[in-house]
Amino acid sequence: MTRKTLMRQEFQGTMCSKLLNFIGVYAFMEQLTNVSGIPADLRVHWKTGNVFYTLVSNEMKMSLQVLRTSGEIETIKVAGLGQSATVDNLNDIVYLATDNGVYKYKDDGSIELFTALGEDVMYVAVTNDGTAMYVATWPQNRVHKINNETQMLETFSPISNGHGLTIDMKNNIFFVDVATEILYVLKSGDTVPIKIKGLHANKMINIFVSRSDAVYAMDENSNYYQIDVENETARLLRNFNV
């Protein structure tokens, strides 16, 4: 066996075990970060590369966290209970959903109140141009639309009980129905949500829009899907077996 063959086998043994394939695109697992608890509702700030997520502790308590590109994890301190975050990547603004309303998060770690609703805000999502915001509250399970300039608030009747709000670049709104835990899409300009077909009968736990405007979803059994928005269907990509 030649030295070249040995080196090739060593490369394959160490590198291919970390190789991931997503829809024909290959990537290496660069960094593994362990946290104490369950990370949920991940959102990426494209400009900084920071990842914002909700950490559910082993005692079932929630807090907002930011994983910086350096690998450092920081707890975001808010007045009250931090529940989820979203990123307006067009305007480089991070919004935090809390039981005291919606806050803006700044790169230096400081926060400022954006709007107080008088309701417990579980999820927040922002339109592609940053002009409007949608928030889902609890325990009312109402969805409100907020004009980001005037902060005028109105009940958003097309979605009566949606959580996990996520908006793609075409302003299609994705959400999980609180009662059925099924994923729906409300297409831009429509008033009736459509159920996404092709998903396993599991609770949906996260919806994510990539920088290329591809939409992905994951259920509680770690089944990972890509969503075909035009046809309202889901395609299983892989299972993470965790």
Side-chain angles (χ1 to χ4, degrees):
M1 185 177 292
T2 65
R3 181 186 302 177
K4 184 177 181 180
T5 303
L6 284 170
M7 291 176 65
R8 184 183 301 114
Q9 289 185 352
E10 178 69 15
F11 174 81
Q12 291 174 343
T14 58
M15 299 301 288
C16 291
S17 62
K18 299 180 180 180
L19 188 63
L20 302 177
N21 179 6
F22 293 104
I23 328 170
V25 177
Y26 290 90
F28 284 107
M29 186 181 297
E30 179 178 333
Q31 178 179 316
L32 181 63
T33 301
N34 293 318
V35 297
S36 178
I38 304 170
D41 298 316
L42 280 71
R43 295 292 183 264
V44 180
H45 187 191
W46 296 339
K47 180 179 178 180
T48 62
N50 293 332
V51 180
F52 295 83
Y53 63 95
T54 305
L55 181 66
V56 183
S57 72
N58 296 326
E59 294 77 28
M60 300 307 292
K61 295 181 179 180
M62 290 189 298
S63 63
L64 294 178
Q65 310 281 318
V66 54
L67 171 62
R68 302 191 181 279
T69 52
S70 62
E72 177 187 5
I73 297 177
E74 174 188 328
T75 299
I76 302 175
K77 297 179 180 179
V78 296
L81 180 64
Q83 310 201 95
S84 66
T86 196
V87 183
D88 174 2
N89 278 301
L90 179 66
N91 298 297
D92 292 319
I93 303 174
V94 178
Y95 292 99
L96 310 175
T98 80
D99 60 353
N100 287 323
V102 179
Y103 288 80
K104 282 184 179 181
Y105 175 87
K106 300 180 180 179
D107 288 341
D108 62 3
S110 63
I111 64 171
E112 64 179 31
L113 181 65
F114 176 72
T115 184
L117 277 72
E119 294 184 30
D120 189 339
V121 180
M122 289 291 294
Y123 295 95
V124 56
V126 183
T127 56
N128 183 38
D129 58 6
T131 59
M133 171 184 295
Y134 296 85
V135 298
T137 65
W138 186 89
Q140 300 90 346
N141 293 330
R142 289 188 290 224
V143 176
H144 299 292
K145 181 179 180 180
I146 302 172
N147 184 307
N148 283 359
E149 293 182 3
T150 65
Q151 292 201 3
M152 182 178 294
L153 180 146
E154 60 181 294
T155 300
F156 190 64
S157 57
I159 303 176
S160 58
N161 56 350
H163 278 191
L165 300 176
T166 305
I167 299 178
D168 68 9
M169 295 181 186
K170 298 180 180 68
N171 288 329
N172 301 307
I173 305 176
F174 302 86
F175 66 94
V176 176
D177 183 277
V178 176
T180 64
E181 298 179 341
I182 292 174
L183 179 62
Y184 285 81
V185 58
L186 177 65
K187 293 187 178 181
S188 180
D190 288 355
T191 57
V192 179
I194 300 172
K195 176 183 174 181
I196 299 295
K197 302 179 290 292
L199 297 167
H200 293 182
N202 299 316
K203 177 182 178 182
M204 300 306 301
I205 60 172
N206 198 27
I207 309 120
F208 179 78
V209 180
S210 74
R211 198 166 188 169
S212 61
D213 203 29
V215 181
Y216 302 95
M218 181 174 283
D219 65 25
E220 62 182 350
N221 289 328
S222 298
N223 293 309
Y224 187 58
Y225 305 89
Q226 183 173 15
I227 307 300
D228 180 342
V229 182
E230 182 177 352
N231 296 303
E232 305 101 29
T233 58
R235 178 167 65 96
L236 180 64
L237 299 178
R238 63 174 293 169
N239 180 279
F240 284 92
N241 298 315
V242 292

